Amino acid sequence: GGQEGGDEIKSLVLDVRKAVGEMTKAMRPHLAEEEEFYPQAMCEKGITHQEFQKLEQRIVKSLGLKGARIGLPNMMECMVRWSGPEGAETFRKNLPGPLRYLLKSKWVPEYEGSIKPLITSMKDSKPPPPYKAGGCCTVM
C-alpha cells in the first residue's frame, strides 16, 4: 500500500535527481562556450551597447510571461555571478516595467521560497521542501 507508493516516489525523485545532475554536467561546457564565444564575436563584429540591449529585450520578449516567470529569477541570480550586482541591476532596469514589477513582487519570492530550495535539496540529496503556492494572482 502506502509504503510501496512512497518507495516509488522516492525512486522517481532519485531518478530525476540523477538525470538533472547528468544534464547539468553535459550542458555546462556548452553554455560556457556560448558565454565566451558570442560576446566576443559580437564585440569583434562591432555590436554597439544599444544593439546589445535591443537583443536582450528581444530575447526576454520571446520568453513570454510563463518563460519569464520560470527563467528570469534564475537568470538574475546567474547574472550576479557573471557580471556582478551592477550588471544584473542594469539588466533588470532595462526590463519593461510590468516585468520588473512581477519579477520583484511575485517571481523572485516564488523562486526563493519554492524553486531554489527544491534545486538545492536535489543537489544536496535532501528531501524536497513543501511547495508554497503563489495564490490567485500568480502568473502561470
Side-chain angles (χ1 to χ4, degrees):
Q3 180 64 29
E4 288 175 20
D7 289 342
E8 287 176 26
I9 290 171
K10 183 177 180 178
S11 176
L12 179 61
V13 167
L14 292 174
D15 289 346
V16 168
R17 194 176 282 163
K18 181 180 176 187
V20 168
E22 290 171 0
M23 181 188 72
T24 300
K25 285 179 188 173
M27 290 297 296
R28 274 198 180 122
H30 172 72
L31 294 173
E33 180 182 3
E34 284 189 6
E35 287 299 318
E36 291 173 15
F37 172 77
Y38 287 105
Q40 183 179 352
M42 288 187 286
C43 287
E44 289 171 1
K45 296 292 180 188
I47 188 170
T48 66
H49 184 68
Q50 290 82 9
E51 290 171 326
F52 183 75
Q53 285 182 326
K54 285 182 182 179
L55 177 62
E56 279 183 334
Q57 290 171 0
R58 195 170 83 216
I59 291 168
V60 168
K61 187 176 180 181
S62 73
L63 293 173
L65 280 178
K66 185 174 182 181
R69 174 183 173 233
I70 293 167
L72 282 177
N74 194 325
M75 289 167 71
M76 294 298 299
E77 183 176 32
C78 291
M79 287 186 109
V80 169
R81 289 194 304 264
W82 296 335
S83 60
E86 300 83 20
E89 181 60 16
T90 298
F91 175 79
R92 189 196 66 77
K93 284 180 179 178
N94 286 318
L95 292 172
L99 286 184
R100 283 195 315 267
Y101 170 77
L102 288 169
L103 184 66
K104 182 179 179 178
S105 68
K106 301 284 184 204
W107 300 340
V108 167
E110 178 182 50
Y111 174 77
E112 294 289 336
S114 296
I115 308 303
K116 189 174 180 180
L118 179 60
I119 292 168
T120 302
S121 76
M122 292 180 75
K123 186 170 46 174
D124 296 340
S125 298
K126 295 178 184 174
Y131 176 72
K132 298 174 190 164
C136 65
C137 296
T138 299
V139 176
M140 294 291 175

